[in-house]
Amino acid sequence: MWGMTGMRGVMPNRFEEQYHCYSVAYADKSHHEGGDKILLPPSAFDSLARLDIEYPMLFRLESSDRGTSTHCGVLEFTAQEGSCYIPFWMMQNLLIEEGSVITVTNVSLPKATFVKLQPQHVDFLEITNPRAVLEHALRNYSCVTKGDVICLPYNSKNYHFELKEVKPKDAACIIETDCNVDFDAPVGYKEPQRNASGGSSGDVNGSATSSLASELANIPKQSAYASGSNRNSACPSPALSSMSGASGTRGAATGGDKISEPEIPGVKVVNGQIVKQEDTSMNAAVKEDETMMAERTGGTGVQNNAAIAVKAPEVKYWAVAAGDGSRLDGKKPS
């Protein structure tokens, strides 16, 4: 009686079974690829319920044929008897195929304090906030094992990371623990090329740009007014008197020095008024008759802006152009 009581008082705490392994896609649960949870048969739950084990339930998966192992948690006890379903990336770490036999053993792991990950592709650098993405993805994981390559789905893409370091042991639990996470350089990452002087290509472009800017800054400023020696009568500079406030502004800028006004052929300024100079070539063609000029706008006489000639036509013009009594306004003669 005493022996039976003593045997009943000691409960076993080890679970170890062998199952045929398949990926979670066989159980139509491919959405569980982003984690380390497996599916065990209902008989495994009955055995675990009778054991004195620690929670959360953690297991070691081993392949005796390949000599590989990893660790995981359990999601459900809904697999077919004699089978277990695990994420495909775990099958890759174990180097096994669909239907291979593995050994499942319950274990107790310490809390992780430090984990170092190495992205397996440089695409991970394109993520805006990789640390936040990683922390969110690791919520679906129960434990980590050094040397494993885990899969983290994000934005319809799978990112793979190799566990380079795990402390305090090579396998640790990451459930409800304060764990420091560090990143190693991604596989295929290359440092930016630097020139002989130690600057990167961006520095070379920057120095070239600054050199070009300094050259542009040393170009002498050009005035809007050409110098006296370069002026051309065909394209004279504007008169300062025709610009409002130009003479006062420029005079103050040069310390009050008087600036000579550019001379325009045939035009001069007298008492603030523009007066045309006498030009024989112009007078030979048309000469104004002051007796026909009106003293003011609206007065009798021919205006300067009138559409008829200032000088009255000669007699021979009327004989040729206005014959037969024609009128200049096109009306029939009376």
Side-chain angles (χ1 to χ4, degrees):
M1 181 66 67
W2 177 84
M4 292 180 62
T5 305
M7 292 179 61
R8 291 178 180 176
V10 178
M11 297 182 63
N13 57 359
R14 183 178 178 84
F15 170 85
E16 183 175 347
E17 294 289 344
Q18 289 186 337
Y19 300 101
H20 288 278
C21 179
Y22 300 94
S23 63
V24 290
Y26 269 64
D28 197 19
K29 295 182 181 293
S30 57
H31 55 280
H32 292 308
E33 283 288 344
D36 66 343
K37 306 293 195 305
I38 67 173
L39 279 68
L40 293 175
S43 60
F45 176 75
D46 296 336
S47 300
L48 291 168
R50 292 192 296 265
L51 300 179
D52 184 16
I53 60 175
E54 296 182 5
Y55 290 87
M57 296 182 184
L58 301 177
F59 301 90
R60 180 173 65 248
L61 308 182
E62 295 178 285
S63 173
S64 57
D65 296 338
R66 299 292 184 175
T68 54
S69 65
T70 187
H71 297 80
C72 65
V74 61
L75 179 65
E76 298 174 354
F77 295 91
T78 58
Q80 294 182 359
E81 292 295 335
S83 303
C84 70
Y85 301 100
I86 69 175
F88 183 72
W89 64 265
M90 296 182 70
M91 297 182 64
Q92 291 178 319
N93 289 331
L94 295 173
L95 305 177
I96 59 176
E97 299 177 352
E98 303 286 351
S100 300
V101 178
I102 62 173
T103 302
V104 180
T105 308
N106 73 300
V107 293
S108 178
L109 300 178
K111 297 288 187 180
T113 57
F114 176 77
V115 174
K116 190 172 191 178
L117 302 169
Q118 182 185 30
Q120 298 300 290
H121 200 276
V122 293
D123 289 348
F124 184 68
L125 300 177
E126 300 176 0
I127 299 179
T128 305
N129 193 348
R131 188 173 297 274
V133 172
L134 182 65
E135 291 178 355
H136 181 269
L138 287 178
R139 294 177 182 177
N140 297 323
Y141 284 76
S142 304
C143 52
V144 289
T145 306
K146 181 180 179 181
D148 278 0
V149 177
I150 62 176
C151 175
L152 301 180
Y154 173 71
N155 199 16
S156 301
K157 189 174 183 179
N158 292 330
Y159 296 90
H160 295 83
F161 299 84
E162 181 181 356
L163 294 164
K164 304 293 289 186
E165 295 183 28
V166 177
K167 295 181 180 180
K169 291 185 178 182
D170 291 345
C173 176
I174 59 174
I175 297 178
E176 297 180 358
T177 180
D178 187 10
C179 180
N180 295 324
V181 179
D182 193 12
F183 291 97
D184 204 351
V187 175
Y189 175 76
K190 294 182 180 180
E191 293 288 341
Q193 297 292 334
R194 296 183 178 272
N195 55 10
S197 60
S200 62
S201 58
D203 298 335
V204 174
N205 296 334
S207 61
T209 305
S210 60
S211 175
L212 178 61
S214 61
E215 293 178 3
L216 294 176
N218 295 330
I219 295 178
K221 296 181 179 179
Q222 299 183 7
S223 174
Y225 301 95
S227 59
S229 60
N230 296 331
R231 289 175 184 167
N232 190 351
S233 59
C235 185
S237 300
L240 295 180
S241 60
S242 64
M243 301 172 62
S244 66
S247 59
T249 305
R250 296 189 64 186
T254 57
D257 297 339
K258 184 176 180 181
I259 302 175
S260 59
E261 297 179 354
E263 297 182 359
I264 303 176
V267 178
K268 64 179 181 178
V269 179
V270 177
N271 296 330
Q273 298 181 357
I274 299 176
V275 179
K276 295 182 179 180
Q277 297 181 353
E278 296 294 331
D279 192 338
T280 56
S281 61
M282 295 175 62
N283 293 337
V286 179
K287 186 174 181 181
E288 298 178 358
D289 190 354
E290 296 181 357
T291 58
M292 297 183 64
M293 299 297 295
E295 298 180 356
R296 59 184 178 83
T297 303
T300 305
V302 180
Q303 303 299 316
N304 249 342
N305 59 353
I308 62 176
V310 175
K311 187 176 180 180
E314 298 180 0
V315 177
K316 60 182 180 180
Y317 169 83
W318 298 103
V320 177
D324 300 329
S326 299
R327 295 178 50 153
L328 292 177
D329 56 4
K331 296 181 179 181
K332 296 181 179 180
S334 56

